[in-house]
Structure formats: C-alpha cells, structure tokens
Amino acid sequence: MTSYARTLVFLLLLVGVADASELAVVNVNVVTMQDEQILRGQTVIIDAGRIQRIGPVSDTEVPEGAELVDGTDRYLMPGLSEMHGHVPGTSNPELNRVLTLYVANGVTSVRGMLGQAAHLPLREKIARGQQLGPRLVTSGPSFNGNSISSPRQAAQMVRAQAKAGYDFLKVHPGLSRQEFATMAEAANDVGIRFAGHVPEDVGVDAALKLGISSIDHLDGYMQLLMPANTDPSGGFAGLFGLLLASSADASRINGVASATAAANVWNVPTQALFEHYANAEPAESMAAWPEMKYMPAATVRQWTASKRQLQGERDFSASNAARAIELRRTLIKALHDHGAGLLLGSDAPQLFNVPGFSIHRELEFLVAAGLTPFEALQTGTVNAAAWFGFEQQTGTVAVSQNADLVLLDDNPLADITNSRRIHAVILQGRFLSRSRLDELLATFARQL
C-alpha cells in the first residue's frame, strides 16, 4: 500500500471516531489504581470526555440513548502513559503510524522526549480531538553538546523554550558541568523542569543536587556503582555503563537508591531498551516478533544491525551483559523500595521497541525486577499523573477523571501479561472497539 493510500484509508477509518457520545460500560470490574481492590460489577458512565458516575450495576441508571458497552467479565483500568516516547513531526509520514500504535496498545498519554516546534500545535490538535493520538506532553529540542556551546547559551535556550510553551526540557549527553548547572539554575528560575540523560561531565550526584526532574535509562547509575578507588575517567563504558558491570559493587545500590529518593528525583528505566540490546536473544528472532509487522522493514533491519554491532564490540561479553541486566533490575527494585519514583517508559520507537507494544514488554521487565503487577502498573498510571501534575485529571478510574481508559479481557493485577489483552480503548471519551483498533492497525501492517 502506498503512503498516500495508507493515509487515505487511515482517515476514512477515523470517520465517526471523533464524535464522543455518552457512554456506559456496564457490569465491569474496575481496576481503580487507587489501591489493589477491584470494584466488581460496576457501571461506569462517561460523558463529555470525563467519568461522570461509577456505581454497582444493580442501582446505577444508564442514561437514555447512551452507547452501551458490555463489561461482563472484563476489567476497566486507566490508560497507560509512555514516559519516554519519540513522536515524529507533523510532516513526517510516520506520524500516524506511531500515534496509532500507541493508542491501539492502550497508551493514552506520551511524554515526547525529542521535541520540535511542530509538536506544540500537534499537542493542541490531539487535545481537541482533531488528531487521533495519545495526549502529548512535549519537551523542546534537546540540550546537548551540539546545541549548546556556552553556559550563557544554555540559559538563553531555557528561557526561549519556556516562553514557547514546551512542557519541559530534554537533556542529552555532551553538556559541560557548568552548562548543565547554568541550565538548571535558569530552569528552576522560570519554573520549567528538565529531564533525560545525565551528561558524563555532570554525573548523577550533581544532577540530583541540581534538581533534575527525571533520569532516563538509569543513565549514569552504573558509574555510581564503581568501587570508591576507581579512576573516574574510566574509559569507554558502553551503553548506559554496560561494560562496567563486571566491576560494579552491588552493595552500593541501596545507598544510591536512598540518595535518589532523598532528592525527590524520578527514574524512567527504559529497561526494555537495555535488555533488547544486551540480552542473549538473537537479533534475528527478535526481528520476527509479531509486532514487527507494524514497522517498516528497513527500520527492523536497522535494529537488527544495531544489536549485532553492539554485541560485536571488542569488550562485549554475554556474561557481563547478563550481570548488567541483573544489576539494573536490582537497582529498579531498590529505587522502588526506597521510595524513589519510577515512571513507565520504553523509548519507542527504538531498538525492537514498537510503539505501544513495547510498553507492555516494559511492564513485564518491571515485574521481572521484583515489582508486583500493581506496582508496575502504577508507574504508568498514578505515578505518571503525579509527574505531570495531572492527579485530578488522570491516572485512576474515578469520578471527574478524564475518560482515558483501557478495557481488558482479564485481570492485569493477577498477571501483568493481561495488560496486552485489550478489548477496547476509550480515548477522551471516544470508544474504540477491538475491531476498530484492528482496522487501524491493519493500515500499517506488512507481511513478515
């Protein structure tokens, strides 16, 4: 199917989706995410994009003319947030693909981690229901070694992005310690948060002190696990410190986690990204995963080559990579146990992370790290809402909350893989049935 034909089919499928009507999900089990209790046999009334009423099916009246959804034996939970996503620009032909894949997998909010000016009107277009997609919270163009050449320029860029209306600032590698400190001071002065990577010249300790809002990829943490007498100049550390794992001191993890919690800094582990690079599964078998059919063949070939290249590096070893995975899993659990907030993010679309699909893989990795299914789901619901400052709008199933919801065929608190069993998605009060989601997905599918 040509790009033009795919876009035309996609737009035709959206006819009828944009008009939100009163909706009643009847006799459903509600996973509120306020606690682990499930409210069974409930009717949820939705109107004007918000939850209006929740009550037992036996005594909750369904408004005349409301669209009825049978929730029997199904589970209604808040939509998920992808807290490290990449959204193409409005002129990019991949935009509809990425946004659709997110929505079809129950991702109803995305924190865009590589912004551009086009994302500001796109954010509003999605909010108005004129573009199918998850709610977009966007950074500006990143602060990095190429975009910033002096502390003064860093401060100017902070003020310019705050004035433009970006939601937060994105940090990439390459900033000097002084550039980072000046950026942080300016950001704190104008009241805009900064998040992302920890530049090598800065380090996690300084980033915590300077008020970084979230650290993504656990970037810089492996360096903190080095024995006290380690030369800080180190040498090539590999992807997020992978090559340092053989020397890492696991006994330092609790102290690092405690310091992070004390600084009130969140982490977005993107464990799926790391494990997809480092694990022993052959790239060729990952390229055959079912969701790969929704990505261009050239992209999948590039991902395959990237994994081969990383694992072909001179200092790479399977045993060291396995230790790095376990250290990161231990760190994730320690951060959680010490009260340092975790946020759900997979860094999609990146290496074998197909938008939307990868968020469910990330949930499974969080459970593998020792979180319960409920705790893992918190990272993409109530925790995400807390980071956004949207606690009164989203993150739970409650009266007055936004109707950004996922209807599942089984209980996700019993088995985290049930988060994949999506019967329908409700986005800004609009009901997208399984058949409608499949139709939307089909416009981007190819034969494997």
Side-chain angles (χ1 to χ4, degrees):
M1 185 181 293
T2 66
S3 176
Y4 173 79
R6 182 183 291 115
T7 300
L8 180 60
V9 170
F10 177 81
L11 292 173
L12 289 172
L13 287 169
L14 291 185
V15 174
V17 172
D19 295 324
S21 60
E22 204 163 19
L23 184 68
V25 185
V26 180
N27 197 34
V28 71
N29 301 312
V30 177
V31 183
T32 69
M33 290 307 300
Q34 295 172 318
D35 53 40
E36 294 191 63
Q37 180 182 3
I38 294 176
L39 304 180
R40 298 188 180 275
Q42 302 290 297
T43 290
V44 179
I45 307 297
I46 296 165
D47 190 26
R50 290 189 177 273
I51 299 172
Q52 304 295 337
R53 278 179 289 159
I54 302 173
V57 65
S58 58
D59 55 15
T60 302
E61 184 178 355
V62 175
E64 185 177 351
E67 181 180 359
L68 300 180
V69 176
D70 183 7
T72 303
D73 295 329
R74 297 191 174 102
Y75 294 78
L76 189 69
M77 64 167 284
L80 295 167
S81 291
E82 163 64 91
M83 296 297 284
H84 194 113
H86 290 272
V87 176
T90 53
S91 62
N92 191 316
E94 292 299 300
L95 176 63
N96 281 336
R97 179 197 303 273
V98 170
L99 296 181
T100 299
L101 294 178
Y102 280 135
V103 170
N105 282 278
V107 174
T108 57
S109 296
V110 169
R111 189 176 72 151
M113 293 301 289
L114 190 56
Q116 53 182 278
H119 283 172
L120 297 174
L122 176 63
R123 179 184 65 190
E124 304 311 312
K125 191 175 179 181
I126 291 172
R128 291 192 299 266
Q130 297 169 341
Q131 164 74 56
L132 180 72
R135 296 172 190 270
L136 179 60
V137 175
T138 186
S139 70
S142 79
F143 290 68
N144 60 69
N146 294 321
S147 65
I148 299 298
S149 59
S150 70
R152 182 171 179 269
Q153 186 184 15
Q156 290 174 336
M157 190 164 159
V158 168
R159 296 187 178 95
Q161 291 196 9
K163 183 177 181 180
Y166 292 105
D167 297 298
F168 67 102
L169 312 176
K170 166 66 184 288
V171 182
H172 260 129
L175 296 183
S176 71
R177 190 182 181 99
Q178 188 56 53
E179 288 165 349
F180 187 92
T182 302
M183 177 205 68
E185 182 181 3
N188 292 329
D189 184 53
V190 301
I192 190 169
R193 291 175 291 181
F194 54 100
H197 291 256
V198 176
E200 183 178 358
D201 194 42
V202 177
V204 170
D205 280 336
L208 297 179
K209 291 181 176 69
L210 290 166
I212 194 168
S213 182
S214 78
I215 295 175
D216 291 53
H217 316 296
L218 301 179
D219 192 15
Y221 276 90
M222 194 70 76
Q223 287 82 345
L224 280 185
L225 302 183
M226 291 297 100
N229 61 353
T230 301
D231 180 358
S233 64
F236 180 56
L239 178 76
F240 305 128
L242 185 155
L243 300 180
L244 303 177
S246 61
S247 302
D249 180 359
S251 71
R252 299 171 69 91
I253 287 177
N254 281 328
V256 167
S258 178
T260 303
N264 197 30
V265 172
W266 299 82
N267 265 272
V268 190
T270 66
Q271 188 70 0
L273 176 70
F274 187 85
E275 296 210 19
H276 290 171
Y277 262 118
N279 68 19
E281 183 169 359
E284 292 77 11
S285 69
M286 297 169 73
W289 288 348
E291 65 260 39
M292 294 302 150
K293 68 183 176 184
Y294 298 114
M295 296 303 294
T299 299
V300 179
R301 286 195 297 270
Q302 180 185 10
W303 290 347
T304 302
S306 293
K307 177 160 184 169
R308 286 176 182 158
Q309 179 180 0
L310 177 83
Q311 298 198 342
E313 289 179 355
R314 182 184 62 188
D315 295 326
F316 180 88
S317 74
S319 60
N320 194 48
R323 175 167 167 77
I325 289 171
E326 287 307 311
L327 284 168
R328 286 174 58 98
R329 289 184 178 188
T330 302
L331 175 59
I332 288 168
K333 183 62 163 57
L335 288 166
H336 171 78
D337 290 347
H338 283 270
L342 295 175
L343 298 168
L344 183 67
S346 67
D347 200 351
Q350 297 287 350
L351 191 94
F352 298 111
N353 280 337
V354 177
F357 293 92
S358 61
I359 215 67
H360 300 283
R361 293 187 181 274
E362 184 73 17
L363 285 168
E364 291 162 25
F365 285 129
L366 292 179
V367 171
L371 274 64
T372 68
F374 176 74
E375 291 165 345
L377 289 168
Q378 282 183 306
T379 68
T381 54
V382 293
N383 288 11
W387 191 91
F388 290 141
F390 292 167
E391 296 98 325
Q392 303 305 311
Q393 302 174 39
T394 189
T396 62
V397 184
V399 171
S400 82
Q401 291 271 293
N402 292 336
D404 291 331
L405 306 164
V406 184
L407 185 61
L408 301 173
D409 283 330
D410 211 338
N411 182 4
L413 303 189
D415 184 339
I416 196 59
T417 64
N418 288 334
S419 70
R420 298 173 179 264
R421 299 186 59 189
I422 296 173
H423 183 78
V425 172
I426 300 172
L427 183 67
Q428 298 185 50
R430 294 170 291 174
F431 184 73
L432 298 170
S433 66
R434 181 69 261 169
S435 61
R436 176 57 63 89
L437 295 173
D438 287 341
E439 288 172 346
L440 292 168
L441 286 172
T443 65
F444 301 106
R446 59 181 175 82
Q447 295 296 318
L448 290 178

